[in-house]
Amino acid sequence: MSSRLDQVEESATLRLADLTNELKRQGKDILSFNLGEPDFNTPSNIVEAAEKALKSGKTHYAPAAGIPELRDAIAAKLKNENKLDVPGKNVLVTPGAKQAVFYVTFSLLEEGDEAIVFDPGWVSYDACIKMSGGKTVWVKSNEDGSLPRDLSKYVNKKTKLIILNSPNNPSGAVLDTKDIRMVADLSKDHGLYVLSDEIYEKIVYDVKPVSIGSMIPDKTVTINGFSKAYAMAGWRIGYAAAPKPVFQNMLKVQQHTATSPTTFVQYGALEAINGPQDSVENMCRQFKERRDVVVKGLRDMGLQCETPLGAFYAWPKVKGSSEKWAEKFLEAGVGLTPGSAFGPHSDDHIRMSYASSMNDIKKGLERMKKCVTGA
């Protein structure tokens, strides 16, 4: 077997979700708060656009970088909403945002190069870095999700990449302009690329995320997708906007692996961008209501929990091993993800997705409270 994957663990979130589903199949009453997948159906206008594309014969290979009209629509969206002046020809449509993350690490990292990931950080960043031959340098974020002021001490001659994720998975933290500017200045000083994962940008509560690509366009790869904002997780469609040299390398990887994203799915994505946005606003309203219930419930059982400003995760602090807490909660019928999956400094947290019905959330909190308080 190839030794390339020896240091790569399987996705903890997917593994625990599979375990939870297996227990459900066995007849166990389990409420799952593992996966970061909206529980809403894809808006009907998006489904209808994909159906129309299917029926009109959009079932052949698409251009490797994506259909031109979608690439142009994404470029227009980035200009209007994110202040990024990126031409459509520098936009790569991918089979999900996760694929784009791997393309970036594989395109930029040589054997032994280092990439900075903030802890807590999404589980697949570390895996993508390792599969690309690189080394992850974990930098612990502050408890409120802000970045440490001494970030420069983690940079050396091997550092090639910094990964940002705001709003953050798993904490829900949103970086302010000061933090974004600090990373941009560090990039300028050391010639570093920045991968900005903005998949949760539309799921925010009373704040507006800042796109670092508006500050350092020549050194930023901006990644986004449709899974979260438009409830299109199973469609597997995302995109990246990159400087031309990086774009060319990413395109090569896509050409020789996925070939291109699914053709008719791209027409659904085009409708998502160009069509009405009321479904996004409605989901955000409901997520905010759920967030407030979850944070209050966690605090009522004595757990410390920052209020998430974006995404749909709560990140409560626990005493002791997060793995043991996750096992304990699972025995009580609640599926959660241990913090250890999100970085070496996060074993004192657990992640609870509130992309579930309010009824399930309230029932889950009751079961959790019994575990924590014994009452």
Side-chain angles (χ1 to χ4, degrees):
M1 302 296 288
S2 170
S3 61
R4 190 177 298 111
L5 296 176
D6 287 349
Q7 302 300 314
V8 178
E9 297 180 0
E10 63 176 312
S11 169
T13 51
L14 296 180
R15 183 182 74 246
L16 289 164
D18 289 343
L19 174 60
T20 301
N21 290 331
E22 178 58 32
L23 290 172
K24 286 181 178 180
R25 282 192 290 269
Q26 294 173 11
K28 303 289 179 62
D29 179 19
I30 307 291
L31 297 170
S32 177
F33 304 104
N34 298 113
L35 279 183
E37 177 179 8
D39 59 317
F40 303 96
N41 290 325
T42 304
S44 58
N45 62 305
I46 298 173
V47 175
E48 289 165 5
E51 288 178 341
K52 182 180 178 181
L54 270 170
K55 291 176 180 177
S56 64
K58 307 294 187 185
T59 57
H60 302 280
Y61 285 128
I67 59 173
E69 50 265 61
L70 178 56
R71 297 170 71 194
D72 288 341
I74 291 169
K77 178 266 180 204
L78 291 171
K79 185 172 184 177
N80 294 334
E81 297 182 9
N82 306 92
K83 301 180 181 178
L84 305 185
D85 192 8
V86 179
K89 64 182 181 180
N90 281 17
V91 172
L92 180 67
V93 184
T94 59
K98 182 185 289 188
Q99 197 82 350
V101 171
F102 176 71
Y103 292 169
V104 174
T105 60
F106 197 76
S107 296
L108 290 178
L109 299 178
E110 301 277 10
E111 196 74 29
D113 284 346
E114 295 182 357
I116 291 175
V117 177
F118 296 102
D119 182 341
W122 181 49
V123 297
S124 291
Y125 297 141
D126 180 51
C128 289
I129 291 165
K130 288 176 178 175
M131 286 190 287
S132 302
K135 175 187 175 184
T136 302
V137 176
W138 292 98
V139 177
K140 188 179 187 304
S141 299
N142 298 320
E143 192 62 37
D144 64 357
S146 61
L147 304 184
R149 297 294 99 190
D150 61 349
L151 179 57
S152 61
K153 77 178 186 181
Y154 297 94
V155 177
N156 58 51
K157 292 181 179 179
K158 293 183 178 180
T159 310
K160 294 292 178 64
L161 178 67
I162 300 175
I163 297 181
L164 286 182
N165 177 214
S166 176
N168 177 268
N169 173 11
S171 72
V174 177
L175 298 177
D176 62 19
T177 303
K178 180 177 65 175
D179 279 340
I180 298 292
R181 175 63 66 187
M182 178 177 66
V183 175
D185 290 343
L186 200 64
S187 167
K188 292 177 183 177
D189 292 343
H190 298 274
L192 308 176
Y193 277 101
V194 176
L195 185 166
S196 183
D197 181 352
E198 303 180 7
I199 191 73
Y200 295 98
E201 67 158 352
K202 289 184 179 292
I203 305 173
V204 289
Y205 317 111
D206 305 317
V207 294
K208 182 173 176 56
V210 178
S211 292
I212 193 170
S214 63
M215 300 179 183
I216 45 169
D218 293 338
K219 285 295 183 179
T220 301
V221 181
T222 301
I223 291 176
N224 209 325
F226 300 84
S227 297
K228 316 301 182 181
Y230 299 99
M232 294 173 67
W235 294 61
R236 307 315 304 134
I237 187 79
Y239 61 86
K244 187 174 181 180
V246 185
F247 170 85
Q248 293 292 350
N249 274 350
M250 294 174 67
L251 178 59
K252 287 180 189 177
V253 181
Q254 176 144 297
Q255 287 172 333
H256 292 292
T257 53
T259 302
S260 64
T262 302
T263 304
F264 61 86
V265 166
Q266 295 185 65
Y267 288 91
L270 182 62
E271 172 62 21
I273 287 184
N274 291 337
Q277 302 297 303
D278 54 312
S279 61
V280 180
E281 297 167 3
N282 178 56
M283 280 193 290
C284 278
R285 282 194 298 270
Q286 294 193 52
F287 281 139
K288 186 175 182 181
E289 291 173 4
R290 297 174 188 180
R291 177 202 68 172
D292 293 343
V293 170
V294 167
V295 171
K296 183 179 185 302
L298 292 170
R299 290 175 178 172
D300 284 349
M301 65 182 79
L303 297 179
Q304 177 185 337
C305 183
E306 296 284 335
T307 300
L309 297 179
F312 36 68
Y313 309 106
W315 184 240
K317 198 166 187 175
V318 294
K319 294 181 180 179
S321 165
S322 62
E323 293 273 356
K324 291 182 179 178
W325 272 107
E327 291 173 4
K328 187 176 180 180
F329 284 129
L330 191 58
E331 290 173 2
V334 180
L336 302 171
T337 308
S340 57
F342 302 97
H345 306 291
S346 291
D347 194 31
D348 57 350
H349 286 78
I350 52 173
R351 190 190 77 170
M352 178 178 181
S353 168
Y354 47 87
S356 301
S357 71
M358 187 69 86
N359 184 56
D360 280 356
I361 286 171
K362 290 179 178 179
K363 286 170 61 179
L365 289 170
E366 288 176 4
R367 295 179 184 182
M368 291 172 67
K369 187 174 184 178
K370 290 180 180 178
C371 269
V372 175
T373 65

